[in-house]
Amino acid sequence: MYSEKITALIALDSATGFDPCLIPINLNGCNGNNRSTEQCRIDANDDLAAITSWLRVKGDNPKTYQAYQKELERLLLWAVIERSKAFSSLNTDDCRAYIDFIKQLQPDNSRWVSCVPTNKTHGHWKPFQYRVAKKTTDTPRVLSICSINYANTVISSCMDWLVKQNYLKYNSFSDITPIKAGTLTTQINQRLFTRHHIQLMLDYAQSLCDHTQPNYYAQLRVVFILKFAFNTGLRLHELVAANYGAIEALEDAEGEQYFLRVIGKNTKLRKTSLPTAFIEDIRNYRLALGLSPNLSQVPDTTPLINSLRKKTEQHLSPAALHKILADFFKRWHTHLIATDQPDNRLINKVQHASTHWLRHSYGSFLANDCQIPLAYIRDELGHASIATTSIYLNTDDKKRQQAVSAAFMVGAKTKK
């Protein structure tokens, strides 16, 4: 019965989200307890219309729209099915209960969780999916701490906007405290490669480039992608969207300085630095492909990461880039296991690595190895707050550990 109920309620359309006709009238938000009595500034009589208005304003990027929609769909489903309340009737206690619910959600909860990919048009679809391969903890968790905080942020942002539009009286999520950043810092530090690991990665990728093999150009591209991702810290969709027309060259007495215009989250434009050494990597990659290394002569719409298959569509899709690097990490993982003296710590990292790890590696390298000011790194990565950037900084932890270790070494020498 549950699957039928949830399937009926979830009849979704990629453009409009929930079908309002499938939500009970008493739970659609027309008379929600938290509805504002002021003149509403948006054309929305019920919760679905209000949420859709927010999605259209905030979700210009299709991937962002999908991600935001998913979080609000989950909350709406939980409110209707578990709480028998409309979205606009949720109070602070309800919102705390929802965060506790997703925090404690386990893979064996077949009512809400699927352990295999499912489609919304099928009867076995569930709002949450558990991906076994990505779990590294002894206690499996459906959502990571980062994902839980992300859900909190998205829902709170939506409610904030709806308060400003006089749809809601107050934001019921405003007092829900995110999980401490210290835990996030630990997670980030586990999901990055050191500079030494990056060099090992590039050496292995380069060793696969054999000009006598039919996949030579594909392997060259993998090396270039790895360098591009680590040298810029771009997100997956930013990497595939980057083209030569977005490169800016500024010339002064010290020579040329290169930047890349990037459209990041919330369609926010930023300029990220292109290291001089990476500019040479771009030129060398073009030479290897038999193309001119003169960047100023390349058509503006030409993507930096080229497609090898489609002649009419030069850009890779984010999914295609994800698969390319996932295949590389899998191959590297197999290689590391087969070495004479396997590095088990690195092997474990590579087993769970993804494209986003290169972004984390970039941030950690600048913050810890190079001690670049956090404000600079924030602007390079496109973070809204320097607090987000600070999760990469662990220099103080290293110094503290070194000081404690040195103290015990002194103590050991005194005893002798």
Side-chain angles (χ1 to χ4, degrees), residues 137-364:
T137 59
D138 293 333
T139 304
R141 193 196 297 265
V142 174
L143 293 183
S144 67
I145 293 171
C146 187
S147 297
I148 295 167
N149 280 342
Y150 179 76
N152 190 343
T153 300
V154 170
I155 297 167
S156 183
S157 176
C158 177
M159 285 193 169
D160 258 342
W161 187 81
L162 292 176
V163 170
K164 292 176 183 176
Q165 307 309 312
N166 292 334
Y167 181 82
L168 296 178
K169 287 186 225 175
Y170 52 82
N171 176 3
S172 301
F173 263 83
S174 61
D175 293 325
I176 309 299
T177 307
I179 298 173
K180 296 295 183 182
T183 309
L184 287 177
T185 302
T186 302
Q187 281 201 341
I188 293 299
N189 288 336
Q190 292 172 348
R191 298 179 181 179
L192 58 81
F193 295 108
T194 65
R195 187 67 181 90
H196 175 61
H197 291 159
I198 292 291
Q199 190 57 57
L200 291 177
M201 180 192 302
L202 292 175
D203 290 344
Y204 173 68
Q206 191 68 55
S207 72
L208 300 177
C209 298
D210 183 348
H211 70 277
T212 65
Q213 297 299 314
N215 67 344
Y216 174 61
Y217 292 110
Q219 294 302 331
L220 278 179
R221 184 177 62 178
V222 169
V223 176
F224 177 74
I225 291 171
L226 293 172
K227 290 181 177 180
F228 187 14
F230 177 69
N231 278 273
T232 60
L234 297 185
R235 301 177 179 93
L236 181 66
H237 74 273
E238 295 170 348
L239 288 167
V240 296
N243 57 43
Y244 283 87
I247 297 177
E248 288 186 7
L250 302 179
E251 189 172 1
D252 56 23
E254 298 179 356
E256 286 186 323
Q257 298 172 328
Y258 291 87
F259 301 87
L260 183 71
R261 294 190 304 277
V262 179
I263 298 177
K265 283 187 175 181
N266 298 321
T267 63
K268 184 179 179 181
L269 178 66
R270 73 179 190 275
K271 284 203 303 185
T272 190
S273 302
L274 292 178
T276 304
F278 179 63
I279 293 297
E280 286 306 306
D281 288 331
I282 297 177
R283 293 189 175 117
N284 291 335
Y285 178 57
R286 290 186 59 80
L287 279 172
L289 295 177
L291 303 171
S292 170
N294 189 337
L295 305 188
S296 63
Q297 295 180 354
V298 183
D300 287 351
T301 57
T302 303
L304 268 77
I305 301 177
N306 58 302
S307 171
L308 299 177
R309 292 183 177 180
K310 298 181 180 178
K311 296 181 180 179
T312 57
E313 181 58 53
Q314 293 182 312
H315 281 272
L316 286 177
S317 67
L321 179 56
H322 171 80
K323 185 177 186 307
I324 288 171
L325 289 185
D327 289 345
F328 168 75
F329 287 132
K330 184 176 180 180
R331 191 170 180 180
W332 188 27
H333 180 256
T334 302
H335 168 76
L336 289 172
I337 293 175
T339 55
D340 294 334
Q341 295 180 323
D343 182 340
N344 291 329
R345 184 173 296 181
L346 178 58
I347 288 171
N348 184 60
K349 279 180 173 286
V350 176
Q351 183 180 8
H352 301 92
S354 67
T355 310
H356 209 70
W357 282 45
L358 298 172
R359 177 174 169 85
H360 292 327
S361 304
Y362 169 87
S364 178

Side-chain angles (χ1 to χ4, degrees), residues 339-405:
T339 55
D340 294 334
Q341 295 180 323
D343 182 340
N344 291 329
R345 184 173 296 181
L346 178 58
I347 288 171
N348 184 60
K349 279 180 173 286
V350 176
Q351 183 180 8
H352 301 92
S354 67
T355 310
H356 209 70
W357 282 45
L358 298 172
R359 177 174 169 85
H360 292 327
S361 304
Y362 169 87
S364 178
F365 172 66
L366 294 183
N368 299 298
D369 296 66
C370 305
Q371 297 185 18
I372 302 295
L374 287 181
Y376 289 177
I377 304 174
R378 173 199 62 197
D379 295 342
E380 293 290 342
L381 290 169
H383 288 157
S385 168
I386 202 167
T388 305
T389 314
S390 66
I391 63 178
Y392 293 111
L393 189 63
N394 58 25
T395 304
D396 290 340
D397 291 338
K398 290 181 178 179
K399 289 180 178 178
R400 174 165 54 84
Q401 194 278 340
Q402 290 168 0
V404 172
S405 295

